[in-house]
Amino acid sequence: MTFADLGLSTKVLKAVAAAGYEKPTPIQEQAIPFALQGRDVLGIAQTGTGKTASFVLPMLTRLEKGRARARMPRSLILTPTRELAAQVADSFKTYGAEHKLTMALLIGGVSFEEQSKKLDKGADILIATPGRLLDHFKRGKLLLTGVEILVIDEADRMLDMGFIPDIEEICKLLPFTRQTLFFSATMPPEIQRLVDNFLHLPARIEIAPPSTTAKTITQKFKMVSADPKTKRKQLREIIGTLTDLTNAIVFCNRKRDVEILFRSLKKHGFNAGALHGDMDQFSRTKTLEAFRKGEITMLAASDVAARGLDIPEVSHVLNYDVPVHAEDYVHRIGRTGRAGRKGAAFTLVTPEDAKALKAIEELIGKELSWLGEPPSEADFEQRPSQNRRRSEGSSKSNSRAKSRSAQTKEKASAKSSRTKNRNTTKKTAANKSAKTDERNRRKTRKRSEQPVVGMGDHVPAFLMRSVRSL
Ligand code: ADP
Ligand code: MG
């Protein structure tokens, strides 16, 4: 099967050839013919499978007929992040090199004025993040009644970022007769509901189960300390053993840790950069550009900032944290081993990660491969904030890494029982002691597998982490 067999226009075929693509990827092969017919398409395929071209190419072909009117874009592409929007815009430039179609980008962090000017001139293609699009619409700068084609890219990421209500709102503003092309790597129930509500008899194309991770990626897990300082040191030790590392993304679960890790990597002489959702557009673009050029070789990043980004040739993905959602693991390691290249992913695991790890193992459907000795169940039983047993020296992995917070808590608990024994009548002390006792009771109950109390197993991961005392 070649691109020419798919029914794309001559102009598009020329640009695709210039981009050096020899043949369509599976999602392109299957989605493009339906998209060209004007059918709605639901495309489920993992990162790096070529989804962008599977909607951009047929859109270009279809948009060749007709012209844009002021403030009335003819097509709308929604992406969860600014980076993705910018990336899709780049694809339009590449694949639309032979076209004279106009494009506007509506993303946060860029001035409204400039964006409005572009809209006023008329845009064939509007690429936007949901929030910014609604802002423009509410200011009366935009009419959505001329939209013939709607694309929703990375729908599952939109869900993670809380954009579903925005998307529903936007869908209701568009003409009923539009064509919708919808892409997602996974299909959680909320996404399915969106599809049921806003797609009309879609052609469903599923490329590989969303759980599969590319075979070209070597995946290794390593048991490390939960203490941040030790953990960072262990990360550096792993990096030191990776002789084939040319560049890497280091994923953290939280923005704050991205910053801390970034500074630490820099301090230890790495060409490091940081990418997270709180950074302004200018710094993000600058960092990404430097990473692409190889000026930065270690990019500390959060999931939000990195999902779907097309960063070619990442030799390694390092998960500084085990992702809370197993799907994110698949997305993260999808940054490496793209387009059949070899890649490697290393994940640092702490005693707190038992649940998240199990979910990953289930999702990828294979046994995890460990660097060093695989952990036993006992290694996961202790939590740094509940490490009485660890301090007795029974923990294999972390006996020395007793966190400061745990020490503080133990001190507090000892103090409170002393207070209690002395039968003090001081109200505050009694209060404090009662609270500490209750906390200790809860811990003991949990350890001895008694009925679940409070949030039980559903305590969000961030609450389970050790707290650093100042
Ligand atoms: P996804 O959106 O599924 O994560 P992208 O559309 O970003 O994937 O494409 C991933 C990479 O594959 C990009 O670098 C892109 O240029 C490249 N690519 C896409 N289609 C083809 C093709 N048919 N042949 C070769 N490379 C391709
Ligand atoms: Mg994509």
Side-chain angles (χ1 to χ4, degrees):
M1 176 80 71
T2 66
F3 278 104
D5 298 329
L6 300 177
L8 295 162
S9 75
T10 322
K11 282 182 184 173
V12 170
L13 289 177
K14 214 169 149 188
V16 165
Y21 296 176
E22 280 163 13
K23 61 187 190 63
T25 65
I27 183 101
Q28 290 161 3
E29 192 176 309
Q30 294 181 51
I32 290 173
F34 286 116
L36 285 172
Q37 287 166 24
R39 283 272 306 267
D40 281 3
V41 172
L42 165 61
I44 308 163
Q46 70 186 87
T47 310
T49 48
K51 291 190 285 290
T52 320
S54 72
F55 61 82
V56 173
L57 303 184
M59 281 176 78
L60 285 167
T61 302
R62 289 187 48 140
L63 290 171
E64 282 174 17
K65 296 190 199 85
R67 271 206 51 174
R69 283 188 283 162
R71 293 194 205 169
M72 287 183 69
R74 299 166 65 202
S75 63
L76 170 63
I77 301 169
L78 293 176
T79 70
T81 64
R82 310 160 194 188
E83 282 78 14
L84 269 170
Q87 206 169 285
V88 172
D90 283 346
S91 304
F92 266 101
K93 281 181 200 147
T94 309
Y95 306 137
E98 302 289 320
H99 294 73
K100 288 209 175 62
L101 296 170
T102 49
M103 182 169 71
L105 201 56
L106 300 189
I107 52 178
V110 178
S111 97
F112 266 94
E113 281 302 301
E114 215 137 288
Q115 294 179 341
S116 283
K117 267 189 219 153
K118 280 215 164 151
L119 284 176
D120 286 346
K121 281 191 208 147
D124 294 293
I125 301 138
L126 179 58
I127 305 169
T129 47
R132 194 35 96 95
L133 181 85
L134 283 172
D135 283 350
H136 275 274
F137 184 81
K138 283 168 187 164
R139 291 177 180 209
K141 297 283 183 197
L142 182 62
L143 284 166
L144 291 171
T145 44
V147 173
E148 298 156 35
I149 308 169
L150 166 71
V151 177
I152 298 176
D153 195 17
E154 304 263 358
D156 46 359
R157 193 68 208 169
M158 302 264 202
L159 171 70
D160 293 348
M161 295 177 69
F163 283 151
I164 300 301
D166 285 354
I167 291 181
E168 285 173 340
E169 196 176 339
I170 293 166
C171 282
K172 287 176 190 157
L173 299 171
L174 300 175
F176 184 69
T177 51
R178 67 165 194 274
Q179 175 185 25
T180 307
L181 309 174
F182 190 104
F183 296 89
S184 192
T186 56
M187 284 302 285
E190 296 90 335
I191 296 293
Q192 187 60 52
R193 210 159 38 231
L194 204 61
V195 167
D196 295 342
N197 285 342
F198 294 105
L199 269 68
H200 179 66
L201 301 174
R204 184 187 163 106
I205 296 153
E206 189 162 1
I207 292 311
S211 58
T212 53
T213 44
K215 286 203 182 68
T216 50
I217 306 174
T218 315
Q219 301 172 54
K220 295 277 182 200
F221 293 78
K222 165 95 178 143
M223 211 58 203
V224 298
S225 165
D227 169 62
K229 203 167 169 204
T230 318
K231 195 176 172 187
R232 287 197 294 271
K233 183 162 165 273
Q234 287 174 302
L235 173 73
R236 291 195 299 277
E237 282 165 6
I238 292 175
I239 294 173
T241 66
L242 305 174
T243 47
D244 53 346
L245 187 147
T246 50
N247 61 352
I249 306 184
V250 191
F251 282 102
C252 301
N253 288 355
R254 290 167 305 172
K255 291 176 223 167
R256 204 193 53 179
D257 290 337
V258 170
E259 276 295 331
I260 296 172
L261 189 65
F262 158 62
R263 270 181 264 129
S264 156
L265 285 169
K266 255 194 127 134
K267 199 178 95 192
H268 285 90
F270 291 98
N271 282 334
L275 200 67
H276 59 73
D278 276 354
M279 287 162 64
D280 63 54
Q281 185 59 20
F282 179 74
S283 339
R284 290 210 225 184
T285 314
K286 214 173 100 192
T287 305
L288 262 181
E289 202 46 43
F291 191 60
R292 278 205 192 94
K293 285 190 195 146
E295 292 159 10
I296 288 174
T297 50
M298 288 277 168
L299 185 64
S302 65
D303 290 290
V304 169
R307 166 88 60 123
L309 291 183
D310 181 28
I311 304 164
E313 318 232 10
V314 180
S315 71
H316 287 71
V317 165
L318 306 170
N319 291 317
Y320 178 77
D321 294 311
V322 175
V324 181
H325 302 292
E327 290 90 26
D328 280 333
Y329 176 78
V330 178
H331 281 287
R332 287 179 182 188
I333 74 165
R335 311 284 99 212
T336 183
R338 300 191 117 187
R341 283 189 287 261
K342 275 203 172 4
F346 289 82
T347 303
L348 305 191
V349 180
T350 71
E352 301 168 1
D353 296 323
K355 276 191 77 172
L357 203 64
K358 199 152 168 259
I360 289 171
E361 190 163 25
E362 275 167 16
L363 187 67
I364 65 175
K366 56 183 171 194
E367 210 176 302
L368 307 182
S369 163
W370 292 88
L371 273 185
E373 210 178 309
S376 67
E377 249 173 54
D379 289 321
F380 288 112
E381 278 172 9
Q382 298 99 30
R383 297 231 152 83
S385 52
Q386 306 175 2
N387 62 353
R388 192 180 296 168
R389 257 183 293 170
R390 184 197 288 169
S391 64
E392 286 162 8
S394 68
S395 162
K396 197 160 65 184
S397 57
N398 276 314
S399 52
R400 271 160 300 157
K402 186 167 162 182
S403 73
R404 250 192 287 168
S405 75
Q407 287 177 7
T408 319
K409 275 189 186 166
E410 272 178 15
K411 267 186 213 153
S413 127
K415 193 174 153 200
S416 75
S417 38
R418 270 201 308 272
T419 317
K420 211 164 131 199
N421 290 345
R422 264 189 245 130
N423 253 336
T424 175
T425 48
K426 256 194 183 169
K427 236 187 195 167
T428 47
N431 242 342
K432 204 167 154 194
S433 134
K435 268 189 208 147
T436 318
D437 281 350
E438 175 53 27
R439 219 180 299 144
N440 286 340
R441 263 202 301 280
R442 246 183 271 154
K443 281 183 209 164
T444 321
R445 251 198 307 245
K446 193 146 190 207
R447 242 182 264 126
S448 56
E449 307 274 337
Q450 280 187 7
V452 176
V453 197
M455 285 192 270
D457 278 339
H458 303 288
V459 179
F462 72 92
L463 285 181
M464 303 293 274
R465 286 176 190 278
S466 62
V467 183
R468 279 196 306 159
S469 51
L470 294 168

